[in-house]
Amino acid sequence: MLILLVSCKEDQDTIISPDLFGVDWFVMQQDANGNTTYIPAASAPPRLGQSGFRLESDGTFIEYMPAPADGTLSVPGTWTTVDGQTFSVTIYPPQTTPYTYTLLISTVTSTSLAARRLP
């Protein structure tokens, strides 16, 4: 198993799976408790207005959400982490106030990701 050392802040070193970065992760299923399974875009069935995200190792975050015309809207953001599992995500929607939430990632492989979004 490969691990990657990532530093989003100079004083913050974290061990994170390299499978997490550079992948468009789209929602496959969500349970009643808010736990969501994501799969890479290459494996996702075609849908209108998909929800998901992308993390880059440089701290860039992109949130994908349904667009008004049945497409998918890409909204920029940033992320930081303290423990490699809990991510603080800030989204910068156009013409709206930025907002922050916590993304708790429980497992990640090259074929799936399990996470829970917290307020």
Side-chain angles (χ1 to χ4, degrees), residues 33-35 86-87 89 100-105 115-119:
N33 297 319
N35 299 307
T86 307
F87 293 79
V89 175
T100 300
Y101 64 87
T102 299
L103 185 64
L104 179 61
I105 297 177
R116 180 183 182 112
R117 184 173 163 166
L118 307 172

Side-chain angles (χ1 to χ4, degrees), residues 8-67:
C8 293
K9 293 184 179 178
E10 289 182 17
D11 62 343
Q12 173 180 334
D13 288 330
T14 306
I15 299 173
I16 303 173
S17 170
D19 291 326
L20 181 60
F21 300 112
V23 177
D24 294 322
W25 294 100
F26 286 107
V27 173
M28 182 61 178
Q29 64 185 30
Q30 186 171 21
D31 68 20
N33 297 319
N35 299 307
T36 305
T37 301
Y38 296 85
I39 58 174
S43 303
R47 294 184 198 165
L48 297 176
Q50 293 184 316
S51 297
F53 64 89
R54 179 184 185 99
L55 283 105
E56 296 292 348
S57 60
D58 66 359
T60 301
F61 188 91
I62 300 171
E63 183 164 272
Y64 300 114
M65 58 183 66

Side-chain angles (χ1 to χ4, degrees), residues 65-118:
M65 58 183 66
D70 294 331
T72 301
L73 182 63
S74 300
V75 182
T78 57
W79 66 267
T80 59
T81 186
V82 175
D83 62 8
Q85 181 180 3
T86 307
F87 293 79
S88 177
V89 175
T90 302
I91 302 299
Y92 303 97
Q95 303 170 350
T96 305
T97 304
Y99 59 93
T100 300
Y101 64 87
T102 299
L103 185 64
L104 179 61
I105 297 177
S106 54
T107 60
V108 62
T109 68
S110 62
T111 58
S112 70
L113 180 144
R116 180 183 182 112
R117 184 173 163 166
L118 307 172

